[in-house]
Amino acid sequence: MNTQQHKCDICLISVSSPILLGIYIDNKLIKKFESIGKTSDILPQLFSEVMNEYCINRVFYANGPGNFSALKLTHIFLQTLSIINNIELFCVDSFYFTKDDFIEAYGRIHFLKENNDIKTIKLESKQNAVFKLPFVLDATRFSNSCFPLYILPATIGV
């Protein structure tokens, strides 16, 4: 470990493209990365770059809903990182990072959060949620019980 490394927290949104990663010191966003591409390619690159300069204490991330493959890859990647580097993980649902009402599932099927319940709904047209990293990280909104939030409907009416 480089003795010049700064201790930080990371916030990751990888449920859709672009993937967003923020570096936080004292709960304040000091640097952000935005990458378009495959989650499996981007996560190792981003974390390698960050870990060359920073010592990561905790990772806060969106555990879904969102892209099913991205959720699985993110979960496996972060669990491995946590075990190998003794990094604490905290998660929250994806709606925490957007002001939009809908998050794309597939096609015209979207996720909607009502009264703390997340369900699917079919819309007339596709809507893409815009995700943003918070400027101030509120750790009280996150849970340390981190599992992917898979919400797959059995059937959707046409």
Side-chain angles (χ1 to χ4, degrees), residues 9 17 32 37 78 81 86 94 104-105 110 114 133-134 149 158:
D9 292 327
S17 190
K32 74 179 190 175
L78 291 178
L81 184 76
N86 196 30
S94 304
E104 181 187 1
H110 292 73
E114 287 182 327
L133 292 164
L149 183 55
V158 179

Side-chain angles (χ1 to χ4, degrees), residues 24-42:
Y24 292 78
I25 295 179
D26 296 326
N27 295 326
K28 294 180 185 133
L29 180 64
I30 62 156
K31 187 174 185 179
K32 74 179 190 175
F33 299 85
E34 185 172 315
S35 297
I36 296 174
K38 292 181 180 181
T39 305
S40 58
D41 295 335
I42 293 170

